[in-house]
């Protein structure tokens, strides 16, 4: 796949655990790929700004937070949900970094770590925090809540773009029946989408996302992953 939107930049300021929070069991999503999926979803979207972005398997909110920092001109609201309450606590902390106040708090924490441990890694984290804080030009509203994405999702807003890195493999399995699980996920998402909502799902190559209520707008393969972009067919 040729990258159209994800710049070939050095994204190490966003390394999990450096400025953004991370816990054991959290997966790392490649920043360039996240940016590419968002860019392509936005290209398919009729709405080009004031975007409400939702991730129904948000984990620790890494993907959402990075997209928030990198798309300050287009995203105004971020919503994340996950089945795992511990992950949601981290998602909340990560998404709180999307404000000057949140970054000030994080820099204070990093400053205390530098004072206590005199570690080079903490000095590097502070430098990354200074760089990331400079990206903030707007206040992105955010909300996280617990939900099983294979059942009912209770949100009171139709998201403009949904991006999810769905569970796969040994690290993060679906808490649900494996059989045609992504088709089932699309059934749930159907209820919360408008006819304009664009959905980008990232999965491993073996997974299949088919659902007669959605049209496939695009499919791309990237290493071990693929992503597929959908919109409601009716
Ligand atoms: C690949 S991870 C997503 C990582 C996330 N994008 C991030 O940036 O941290 C998949 C997530 O799906 C969640 N999950 C598994 N089964 C679920 C279900 N039935 N409903 C909602 N979330 C689920 C897991 O708890 C895990 O956090």
């Amino acid at each position: 796949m040729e990258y159209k939107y994800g710049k070939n930049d050095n994204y190490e300021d966003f390394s999990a655990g450096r400025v953004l929070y991370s816990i054991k069991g959290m997966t790392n999503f490649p920043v360039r790929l996240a940016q590419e999926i968002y860019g392509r979803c936005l290209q398919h979207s009729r709405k080009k700004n004031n975007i409400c972005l939702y991730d129904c398997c948000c984990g620790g909110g890494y993907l959402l937070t990075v997209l928030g920092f990198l798309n300050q001109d287009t995203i105004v609201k971020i919503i994340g949900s996950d089945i795992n309450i511990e992950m949601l606590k981290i998602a909340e902390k990560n998404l709180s970094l999307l404000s000057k106040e949140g970054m000030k708090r994080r820099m204070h924490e990093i400053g205390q770590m530098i004072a206590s441990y005199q570690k080079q890694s903490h000095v590097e984290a502070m430098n990354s925090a200074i760089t990331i804080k400079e990206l903030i030009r707007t206040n992105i509203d955010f909300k996280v809540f617990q939900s099983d994405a294979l059942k009912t999702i209770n949100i009171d807003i139709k998201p403009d773009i949904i991006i999810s890195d769905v569970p796969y493999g040994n690290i993060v399995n679906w808490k649900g029946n494996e059989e045609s699980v992504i088709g089932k996920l699309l059934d749930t998402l159907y209820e919360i989408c408008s006819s304009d909502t664009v959905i980008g799902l990232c999965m491993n190559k073996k997974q299949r996302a088919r659902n007669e209520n959605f049209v496939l707008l695009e499919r791309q393969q990237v290493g071990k992953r693929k992503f597929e972009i959908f919109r409601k067919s009716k």
Side-chain angles (χ1 to χ4, degrees), residues 27 56-60 62-63 82-83 147-149 165 167 172-173 175:
T27 51
C56 58
C57 294
C58 75
Y62 181 83
L63 179 93
D82 198 280
I83 202 163
S147 187
D148 182 342
D165 176 28
V172 270
N173 284 310
K175 306 277 187 292

Side-chain angles (χ1 to χ4, degrees), residues 25-29 55-64 81-84 87 147-151 163-168 172-176 185:
M26 251 180 88
T27 51
N28 257 339
F29 197 84
D55 181 354
C56 58
C57 294
C58 75
Y62 181 83
L63 179 93
L64 285 175
S81 64
D82 198 280
I83 202 163
N84 182 330
M87 287 293 175
S147 187
D148 182 342
L150 301 177
K151 294 190 177 149
I163 297 181
S164 269
D165 176 28
V166 302
Y168 46 82
V172 270
N173 284 310
W174 278 105
K175 306 277 187 292
L185 171 67

Side-chain angles (χ1 to χ4, degrees), residues 5-105:
Y5 301 98
K7 282 199 213 132
N8 191 10
D9 271 356
N10 178 346
Y11 294 108
E12 69 183 7
D13 290 328
F14 293 115
S15 300
R18 185 186 284 218
V19 179
L20 271 66
Y21 298 92
S22 183
I23 52 167
K24 197 164 171 275
M26 251 180 88
T27 51
N28 257 339
F29 197 84
V31 177
R32 189 182 183 199
L33 179 57
Q35 192 58 0
E36 185 66 23
I37 298 173
Y38 178 75
R40 287 177 187 243
C41 286
L42 193 62
Q43 180 202 346
H44 288 291
S45 171
R46 293 186 183 105
K47 200 169 155 190
K48 300 295 180 196
N49 47 37
N50 293 332
I51 295 294
C52 171
L53 174 68
Y54 172 53
D55 181 354
C56 58
C57 294
C58 75
Y62 181 83
L63 179 93
L64 285 175
T65 307
V66 164
L67 287 178
F69 277 121
L70 294 177
N71 299 283
Q72 296 269 309
D73 294 344
T74 56
I75 297 175
V76 293
K77 188 173 178 79
I78 289 181
I79 305 174
S81 64
D82 198 280
I83 202 163
N84 182 330
I85 198 88
E86 293 310 313
M87 287 293 175
L88 287 170
K89 288 180 192 160
I90 304 298
E92 181 121 40
K93 284 173 77 171
N94 274 330
L95 289 165
S96 78
L97 299 177
L98 289 169
S99 67
K100 296 254 183 211
E101 205 40 55
M103 280 303 297
K104 227 171 108 186
R105 229 181 307 119

Side-chain angles (χ1 to χ4, degrees), residues 52-199:
C52 171
L53 174 68
Y54 172 53
D55 181 354
C56 58
C57 294
C58 75
Y62 181 83
L63 179 93
L64 285 175
T65 307
V66 164
L67 287 178
F69 277 121
L70 294 177
N71 299 283
Q72 296 269 309
D73 294 344
T74 56
I75 297 175
V76 293
K77 188 173 178 79
I78 289 181
I79 305 174
S81 64
D82 198 280
I83 202 163
N84 182 330
I85 198 88
E86 293 310 313
M87 287 293 175
L88 287 170
K89 288 180 192 160
I90 304 298
E92 181 121 40
K93 284 173 77 171
N94 274 330
L95 289 165
S96 78
L97 299 177
L98 289 169
S99 67
K100 296 254 183 211
E101 205 40 55
M103 280 303 297
K104 227 171 108 186
R105 229 181 307 119
R106 182 61 173 140
M107 287 164 86
H108 181 69
E109 271 175 20
I110 296 170
Q112 285 182 327
M113 292 194 285
I114 294 173
S116 304
Y117 306 110
Q118 291 89 41
K119 274 191 171 177
Q120 181 57 25
S121 60
H122 294 144
V123 175
E124 285 163 11
M126 183 61 94
N127 290 334
S128 291
I130 293 166
T131 308
I132 290 177
K133 188 165 174 252
E134 285 304 305
L135 296 173
I136 300 173
R137 294 188 304 281
T138 186
N139 258 334
I140 296 179
D141 189 23
F142 74 89
K143 174 181 162 178
V144 299
F145 63 99
Q146 188 180 26
S147 187
D148 182 342
L150 301 177
K151 294 190 177 149
T152 310
I153 300 172
N154 284 317
I155 54 173
D156 48 7
I157 185 170
K158 305 274 186 212
D160 301 302
I161 295 179
I162 300 175
I163 297 181
S164 269
D165 176 28
V166 302
Y168 46 82
N170 298 328
I171 310 175
V172 270
N173 284 310
W174 278 105
K175 306 277 187 292
N177 184 356
E178 279 288 334
E179 197 67 12
S180 67
V181 78
I182 302 181
K184 176 81 191 87
L185 171 67
L186 286 168
D187 277 342
T188 319
L189 294 181
Y190 186 83
E191 301 302 325
I192 62 153
C193 286
S194 73
S195 52
D196 287 342
T197 303
V198 176
I199 305 178

